[in-house]
Amino acid sequence: MQSVADVLRTIAGSGEVVTIVYNAGSRPGQAREVVPLSVSTDELVAVEPGLPTRKHYKLARIASVQLSSAEPTINKQASPAVVSDVPRLATLVAYAQRFGPELRGAGWHVYDSEDFLAVATYFKNGKPKKTPSIAIQYSDPTIETVFDYKTGAVNNTTRELTGRERPWRVDSWRFNAGKSFGDLHRAFEVFMAEVRASHPATAKTLSSSR
């Protein structure tokens, strides 16, 4: 019997739409339609029908794949679905209000604004550090900063959206580099995962962790 990876390889790049059940992401355990583009030893690269953004799916988390004219192929060794406790909220302010008590209760100092949320540790004198340990922020994708080499000036210009923008960025003292996301919900999931994996007594600031 063919494996999930074998089935995906047979139609990758053909443009065929298949249905997979993926035990991760924003809809863990739910069926979704994708167009497979390529399959490596551990990952599927695909797009959703009608959308340009490429998405990456770990083969170990694909529970099943079904072609239009066949029975589903089951991956019995698939990792179980991971259900997030982070709800889908419309704004970062809403997330700050929802999770603020947890962040402060864990011992963090919280910095927040409309487009920025971060947690910081404290100095021995009890004052919060200005540089946070973990942060999530939004950058307006319609604005592009351009450096003029002739004049030395930094100018902001307007650019058209392509649908592939990733305006949400998460930085953590544990990351080698920040991670960008197109979806607020996914970005906040990563932010909370980093907060919960860290402790105010041992976390470094973003500048000192590099």
PDB file of all heavy atoms in Angstrom, residues 137-150:
ATOM      1  N   GLN A 137       4.760  42.313  16.751  1.00  0.00           N
ATOM      2  CA  GLN A 137       4.432  43.642  16.263  1.00  0.00           C
ATOM      3  C   GLN A 137       3.946  43.596  14.819  1.00  0.00           C
ATOM      4  O   GLN A 137       4.229  42.642  14.093  1.00  0.00           O
ATOM      5  CB  GLN A 137       5.631  44.574  16.381  1.00  0.00           C
ATOM      6  CG  GLN A 137       6.850  44.135  15.599  1.00  0.00           C
ATOM      7  CD  GLN A 137       8.042  45.037  15.861  1.00  0.00           C
ATOM      8  OE1 GLN A 137       7.902  46.262  15.981  1.00  0.00           O
ATOM      9  NE2 GLN A 137       9.219  44.460  15.952  1.00  0.00           N
ATOM     10  N   TYR A 138       3.222  44.638  14.459  1.00  0.00           N
ATOM     11  CA  TYR A 138       2.660  44.767  13.118  1.00  0.00           C
ATOM     12  C   TYR A 138       3.369  45.891  12.379  1.00  0.00           C
ATOM     13  O   TYR A 138       3.594  46.974  12.921  1.00  0.00           O
ATOM     14  CB  TYR A 138       1.165  45.076  13.202  1.00  0.00           C
ATOM     15  CG  TYR A 138       0.504  45.355  11.873  1.00  0.00           C
ATOM     16  CD1 TYR A 138       0.077  44.317  11.061  1.00  0.00           C
ATOM     17  CD2 TYR A 138       0.299  46.668  11.442  1.00  0.00           C
ATOM     18  CE1 TYR A 138      -0.544  44.578   9.839  1.00  0.00           C
ATOM     19  CE2 TYR A 138      -0.316  46.941  10.230  1.00  0.00           C
ATOM     20  CZ  TYR A 138      -0.738  45.880   9.430  1.00  0.00           C
ATOM     21  OH  TYR A 138      -1.343  46.133   8.224  1.00  0.00           O
ATOM     22  N   SER A 139       3.726  45.632  11.120  1.00  0.00           N
ATOM     23  CA  SER A 139       4.309  46.655  10.254  1.00  0.00           C
ATOM     24  C   SER A 139       3.404  46.839   9.047  1.00  0.00           C
ATOM     25  O   SER A 139       3.037  45.854   8.393  1.00  0.00           O
ATOM     26  CB  SER A 139       5.715  46.240   9.793  1.00  0.00           C
ATOM     27  OG  SER A 139       6.588  46.115  10.894  1.00  0.00           O
ATOM     28  N   ASP A 140       3.057  48.076   8.753  1.00  0.00           N
ATOM     29  CA  ASP A 140       2.142  48.376   7.649  1.00  0.00           C
ATOM     30  C   ASP A 140       2.763  47.915   6.327  1.00  0.00           C
ATOM     31  O   ASP A 140       3.780  48.459   5.891  1.00  0.00           O
ATOM     32  CB  ASP A 140       1.875  49.876   7.604  1.00  0.00           C
ATOM     33  CG  ASP A 140       0.783  50.248   6.601  1.00  0.00           C
ATOM     34  OD1 ASP A 140       0.427  49.392   5.760  1.00  0.00           O
ATOM     35  OD2 ASP A 140       0.307  51.389   6.653  1.00  0.00           O
ATOM     36  N   PRO A 141       2.181  46.907   5.659  1.00  0.00           N
ATOM     37  CA  PRO A 141       2.782  46.394   4.425  1.00  0.00           C
ATOM     38  C   PRO A 141       2.652  47.333   3.232  1.00  0.00           C
ATOM     39  O   PRO A 141       3.282  47.111   2.199  1.00  0.00           O
ATOM     40  CB  PRO A 141       2.014  45.092   4.179  1.00  0.00           C
ATOM     41  CG  PRO A 141       0.678  45.336   4.814  1.00  0.00           C
ATOM     42  CD  PRO A 141       0.959  46.178   6.031  1.00  0.00           C
ATOM     43  N   THR A 142       1.827  48.381   3.373  1.00  0.00           N
ATOM     44  CA  THR A 142       1.675  49.325   2.256  1.00  0.00           C
ATOM     45  C   THR A 142       2.778  50.375   2.255  1.00  0.00           C
ATOM     46  O   THR A 142       2.903  51.141   1.303  1.00  0.00           O
ATOM     47  CB  THR A 142       0.318  50.035   2.317  1.00  0.00           C
ATOM     48  OG1 THR A 142       0.253  50.846   3.505  1.00  0.00           O
ATOM     49  CG2 THR A 142      -0.818  49.025   2.327  1.00  0.00           C
ATOM     50  N   ILE A 143       3.576  50.400   3.319  1.00  0.00           N
ATOM     51  CA  ILE A 143       4.645  51.393   3.434  1.00  0.00           C
ATOM     52  C   ILE A 143       6.003  50.704   3.283  1.00  0.00           C
ATOM     53  O   ILE A 143       6.296  49.725   3.959  1.00  0.00           O
ATOM     54  CB  ILE A 143       4.596  52.137   4.780  1.00  0.00           C
ATOM     55  CG1 ILE A 143       3.241  52.824   4.956  1.00  0.00           C
ATOM     56  CG2 ILE A 143       5.728  53.146   4.874  1.00  0.00           C
ATOM     57  CD1 ILE A 143       2.941  53.874   3.917  1.00  0.00           C
ATOM     58  N   GLU A 144       6.815  51.210   2.385  1.00  0.00           N
ATOM     59  CA  GLU A 144       8.159  50.678   2.174  1.00  0.00           C
ATOM     60  C   GLU A 144       9.187  51.773   2.452  1.00  0.00           C
ATOM     61  O   GLU A 144       9.076  52.887   1.945  1.00  0.00           O
ATOM     62  CB  GLU A 144       8.328  50.172   0.744  1.00  0.00           C
ATOM     63  CG  GLU A 144       9.690  49.560   0.464  1.00  0.00           C
ATOM     64  CD  GLU A 144       9.797  49.010  -0.952  1.00  0.00           C
ATOM     65  OE1 GLU A 144       8.936  49.369  -1.783  1.00  0.00           O
ATOM     66  OE2 GLU A 144      10.715  48.233  -1.216  1.00  0.00           O
ATOM     67  N   THR A 145      10.160  51.453   3.296  1.00  0.00           N
ATOM     68  CA  THR A 145      11.214  52.404   3.626  1.00  0.00           C
ATOM     69  C   THR A 145      12.368  52.252   2.637  1.00  0.00           C
ATOM     70  O   THR A 145      12.901  51.158   2.457  1.00  0.00           O
ATOM     71  CB  THR A 145      11.720  52.186   5.059  1.00  0.00           C
ATOM     72  OG1 THR A 145      10.626  52.346   5.975  1.00  0.00           O
ATOM     73  CG2 THR A 145      12.808  53.183   5.409  1.00  0.00           C
ATOM     74  N   VAL A 146      12.736  53.359   1.996  1.00  0.00           N
ATOM     75  CA  VAL A 146      13.772  53.339   0.966  1.00  0.00           C
ATOM     76  C   VAL A 146      14.891  54.305   1.341  1.00  0.00           C
ATOM     77  O   VAL A 146      14.640  55.459   1.706  1.00  0.00           O
ATOM     78  CB  VAL A 146      13.195  53.732  -0.410  1.00  0.00           C
ATOM     79  CG1 VAL A 146      14.290  53.728  -1.466  1.00  0.00           C
ATOM     80  CG2 VAL A 146      12.067  52.769  -0.800  1.00  0.00           C
ATOM     81  N   PHE A 147      16.133  53.831   1.249  1.00  0.00           N
ATOM     82  CA  PHE A 147      17.293  54.679   1.542  1.00  0.00           C
ATOM     83  C   PHE A 147      17.827  55.281   0.246  1.00  0.00           C
ATOM     84  O   PHE A 147      18.100  54.566  -0.713  1.00  0.00           O
ATOM     85  CB  PHE A 147      18.390  53.857   2.229  1.00  0.00           C
ATOM     86  CG  PHE A 147      19.632  54.639   2.532  1.00  0.00           C
ATOM     87  CD1 PHE A 147      19.660  55.543   3.569  1.00  0.00           C
ATOM     88  CD2 PHE A 147      20.786  54.474   1.767  1.00  0.00           C
ATOM     89  CE1 PHE A 147      20.805  56.271   3.861  1.00  0.00           C
ATOM     90  CE2 PHE A 147      21.935  55.198   2.039  1.00  0.00           C
ATOM     91  CZ  PHE A 147      21.944  56.098   3.097  1.00  0.00           C
ATOM     92  N   ASP A 148      17.933  56.593   0.218  1.00  0.00           N
ATOM     93  CA  ASP A 148      18.452  57.306  -0.944  1.00  0.00           C
ATOM     94  C   ASP A 148      19.971  57.450  -0.786  1.00  0.00           C
ATOM     95  O   ASP A 148      20.450  58.229   0.036  1.00  0.00           O
ATOM     96  CB  ASP A 148      17.796  58.690  -1.051  1.00  0.00           C
ATOM     97  CG  ASP A 148      18.119  59.374  -2.372  1.00  0.00           C
ATOM     98  OD1 ASP A 148      19.227  59.159  -2.895  1.00  0.00           O
ATOM     99  OD2 ASP A 148      17.267  60.117  -2.882  1.00  0.00           O
ATOM    100  N   TYR A 149      20.723  56.693  -1.581  1.00  0.00           N
ATOM    101  CA  TYR A 149      22.174  56.707  -1.446  1.00  0.00           C
ATOM    102  C   TYR A 149      22.794  58.040  -1.879  1.00  0.00           C
ATOM    103  O   TYR A 149      23.889  58.392  -1.443  1.00  0.00           O
ATOM    104  CB  TYR A 149      22.778  55.562  -2.274  1.00  0.00           C
ATOM    105  CG  TYR A 149      22.505  54.210  -1.688  1.00  0.00           C
ATOM    106  CD1 TYR A 149      21.422  53.457  -2.127  1.00  0.00           C
ATOM    107  CD2 TYR A 149      23.320  53.681  -0.686  1.00  0.00           C
ATOM    108  CE1 TYR A 149      21.155  52.209  -1.587  1.00  0.00           C
ATOM    109  CE2 TYR A 149      23.058  52.433  -0.141  1.00  0.00           C
ATOM    110  CZ  TYR A 149      21.982  51.697  -0.593  1.00  0.00           C
ATOM    111  OH  TYR A 149      21.709  50.467  -0.049  1.00  0.00           O
ATOM    112  N   LYS A 150      22.098  58.778  -2.729  1.00  0.00           N
ATOM    113  CA  LYS A 150      22.641  60.052  -3.192  1.00  0.00           C
ATOM    114  C   LYS A 150      22.556  61.128  -2.118  1.00  0.00           C
ATOM    115  O   LYS A 150      23.469  61.922  -1.943  1.00  0.00           O
ATOM    116  CB  LYS A 150      21.905  60.505  -4.453  1.00  0.00           C
ATOM    117  CG  LYS A 150      22.156  59.609  -5.666  1.00  0.00           C
ATOM    118  CD  LYS A 150      21.438  60.142  -6.893  1.00  0.00           C
ATOM    119  CE  LYS A 150      21.705  59.272  -8.108  1.00  0.00           C
ATOM    120  NZ  LYS A 150      20.996  59.774  -9.327  1.00  0.00           N
TER     121      LYS A 150
END
